[in-house]
Amino acid sequence: MVFVVDVDRRPLDPCHPARARRLLTQGKAAVWWCYPFTLVLKRAVPDAKPQPLRVNLDPESRTTGLAVVHDATGQVVWAGELTHRGHHVKARLDQRRACRHGQRQRHTRYRPQRFENRCRPEGWLPPALESRVSNVLTWVTRLRRYTPIGAISQELVRFDTQLLEKPDISGVKYQQGELAGYEVREYLLEKCARKCAYCGATDRPLQVEHIVPNARGGSNRVSNLTLACEPCNTAKGTQIADEFGYPGVQAHARRPLKDAAAVNASRWALLHRLSAIALPVEVGTGGRTKWNRTQRGLAKAHWIDAACVGVSTPEPLHIAGVQPLHIMATGRHSRQMCRTNAFGFPAKAPKTVSVVAGMRTGDIVRAVVPPPSSKAGVYLGRLAVRAIGSCNITSSAGTVQGIHIRYCRPLHRGDGYTYQKGEAALSPHA
Ligand SMILES: [Zn+2]
């Protein structure tokens, strides 16, 4: 579906791509934003009553799934997969620290160590986590600008500890088909670090296994369950874990899982910041997400997981034809005034102009180079400006050098993200 806003930039109901094309060809609308694709109508719609949609979030450490769902019809209106740069942020900070440390040791361009004049403000997160939380908040804010959002659903924890504690539903018989079984499985996966408790295998399907088998009087409680691969489960048979040669397994299962391991600091931080937006926020568990997805017979993908978050997931979820927008966080600029080599010495010329002919590095542009040139053709991609005007355009097909800035027309200003829809979105149409 295509997002639509009216002339006053108020979000309206999203429309079908065919209708969007008609609006564009009839001159009734213009493209307002490329990613996500949004039209702006050329007239006001004063009595419009757009139906509120729900934005669903499944935050993970590398990729966050995003989905905009119409609760009443079960239609997934829009989907995206947001790739974070948390690990990159950490690597760059480690590099900077090593550089400064080296300079101090050698007494070159000495920068005194500063630690006693620092304090961390309320709600401080490590930079790598902060970057992830901010990315998700940015996208929630954007989606609210382009489409009528009335509620938010977020996956908060992996499993529901309350569901685990009720004795009548903690049984292993629930592992197929019932919600509590998914919560039990998520709990065990977290507890056993997704490994077989006996041989430590990670790359094979794991079965829920009784430490003291039912036949020997073992219960179905979570404290008697662990995960094992099929060969280990078969080999163990009706033996107790001690007899099978693994006395530590029982002790490990009895120990309660620490809260810190079960929940994720950045998810809680995200929840606190989402709560500050004046919208109802619903939270779900990972077990519920997986159960919703399996019940509806859907494949595993970040954006489908997002659409399945929480109790509010519509019974029939329509995902046919939905192509997720792949969003990758890249950051905007470097604050470093001069690039250094591994030893902290200046390696390149100092930073020069970043704006050339009104465009800057990171803008997505369309360049039409006329025929006499050897570079003749149409290019669509990400711009890297050069002060001399001869620029580079990078797309998924590679980098083309020496395209003059006068042939470029900006489609989408650099906003710290790169985008890809399917495979063809950023390739040059030569
Ligand atoms: Zn095993």
Side-chain angles (χ1 to χ4, degrees):
M1 302 283 260
V2 176
F3 295 146
V4 185
V5 297
D6 74 1
V7 75
D8 301 322
R9 309 292 193 261
R10 273 185 313 223
L12 303 171
D13 284 327
C15 73
H16 192 271
R19 192 183 142 98
R21 214 170 296 126
R22 213 159 48 235
L23 286 170
L24 282 172
T25 49
Q26 290 171 354
K28 290 182 179 169
V31 178
W32 186 35
W33 216 252
C34 273
Y35 303 100
F37 195 66
T38 308
L39 298 186
V40 53
L41 294 184
K42 294 186 178 172
R43 63 182 173 88
V45 189
D47 52 349
K49 284 194 180 59
Q51 297 195 344
L53 303 171
R54 177 182 288 277
V55 58
N56 290 28
L57 309 166
D58 175 23
E60 300 281 344
S61 71
R62 282 188 180 266
T63 306
T64 290
L66 303 160
V68 177
V69 180
H70 193 299
D71 278 347
T73 63
Q75 179 66 46
V76 175
V77 173
W78 181 87
E81 294 195 343
L82 171 58
T83 306
H84 299 294
R85 58 190 292 265
H87 55 286
H88 182 67
V89 168
K90 178 163 193 319
R92 292 301 296 271
L93 287 173
D94 285 347
Q95 187 193 1
R96 186 181 75 180
R97 191 171 59 229
C99 256
R100 287 184 178 168
H101 181 246
Q103 288 168 359
R104 264 179 232 122
Q105 295 304 97
R106 294 192 309 267
H107 306 291
T108 49
R109 290 194 311 288
Y110 182 76
R111 181 193 169 101
Q113 209 159 5
R114 290 188 283 184
F115 49 88
E116 283 175 339
N117 62 347
R118 294 286 201 265
C119 70
R120 287 174 176 172
E122 191 80 17
W124 180 90
L125 283 173
L129 297 191
E130 179 63 46
S131 131
R132 287 180 195 127
V133 172
S134 309
N135 285 167
V136 178
L137 276 177
T138 299
W139 275 88
V140 171
T141 313
R142 279 188 190 182
L143 290 171
R144 288 185 69 205
R145 206 184 304 150
Y146 308 134
T147 190
I149 299 291
I152 302 172
S153 291
Q154 186 207 339
E155 187 182 304
L156 184 64
V157 289
R158 295 222 177 270
F159 45 83
D160 186 342
T161 43
Q162 298 232 311
L163 271 180
L164 289 177
E165 276 160 13
K166 287 186 198 162
D168 58 322
I169 53 164
S170 63
V172 67
K173 66 176 173 170
Y174 287 96
Q175 70 174 302
Q176 300 298 328
E178 296 270 340
L179 172 61
Y182 282 83
E183 304 283 357
V184 168
R185 212 180 146 76
E186 284 297 309
Y187 174 85
L188 293 175
L189 282 170
E190 190 71 37
K191 183 139 193 180
C192 305
R194 292 166 194 274
K195 277 189 243 170
C196 170
Y198 301 107
C199 68
T202 53
D203 53 345
R204 55 195 67 173
L206 297 171
Q207 301 173 339
V208 175
E209 203 267 337
H210 290 85
I211 297 167
V212 179
N214 279 148
R216 305 275 297 269
S219 76
N220 283 339
R221 295 196 67 104
V222 171
S223 56
N224 188 39
L225 299 176
T226 189
L227 290 176
C229 65
E230 199 187 345
C232 290
N233 200 355
T234 315
K236 182 168 169 282
T238 56
Q239 297 174 83
I240 297 173
D242 297 15
E243 298 165 2
F244 189 47
Y246 295 88
V249 171
Q250 177 76 76
H252 180 252
R254 285 218 186 97
R255 226 174 292 137
L257 185 58
K258 281 203 188 87
D259 275 355
V263 298
N264 183 321
S266 58
R267 287 178 165 203
W268 278 97
L270 178 61
L271 177 66
H272 286 141
R273 296 194 200 172
L274 287 175
S275 307
I277 303 174
L279 284 180
V281 182
E282 176 206 40
V283 293
T285 65
R288 160 74 72 173
T289 303
K290 209 166 180 180
W291 184 68
N292 279 343
R293 177 161 58 75
T294 319
Q295 288 288 302
R296 287 160 183 77
L298 302 173
K300 168 126 186 82
H302 291 290
W303 66 275
I304 296 177
D305 267 351
C308 292
V309 166
V311 188
S312 66
T313 309
E315 193 40 54
L317 195 65
H318 304 294
I319 61 160
V322 178
Q323 264 204 342
L325 178 65
H326 294 279
I327 308 158
M328 191 178 284
T330 55
R332 286 160 195 270
H333 295 280
S334 168
R335 284 186 61 203
Q336 209 171 12
M337 295 311 291
C338 182
R339 293 289 161 96
T340 55
N341 65 12
F343 307 102
F345 284 97
K348 288 182 174 176
K351 247 174 30 176
T352 58
V353 288
S354 62
V355 181
V356 176
M359 279 175 271
R360 64 195 322 161
T361 297
D363 290 355
I364 293 168
V365 297
R366 185 169 183 268
V368 183
V369 184
S373 159
S374 62
K375 296 271 164 61
V378 181
Y379 303 90
L380 184 65
R382 202 175 160 79
L383 188 74
V385 296
R386 300 280 173 272
I388 52 169
S390 170
C391 302
N392 297 352
I393 294 181
T394 304
S395 68
S396 56
T399 300
V400 187
Q401 294 186 322
I403 304 289
H404 201 274
I405 194 86
R406 68 174 169 267
Y407 301 129
C408 299
R409 193 169 63 82
L411 296 179
H412 189 93
R413 294 293 184 177
D415 56 1
Y417 297 93
T418 57
Y419 303 93
Q420 198 162 357
K421 194 151 195 167
E423 282 305 308
L426 289 183
S427 60
H429 309 279

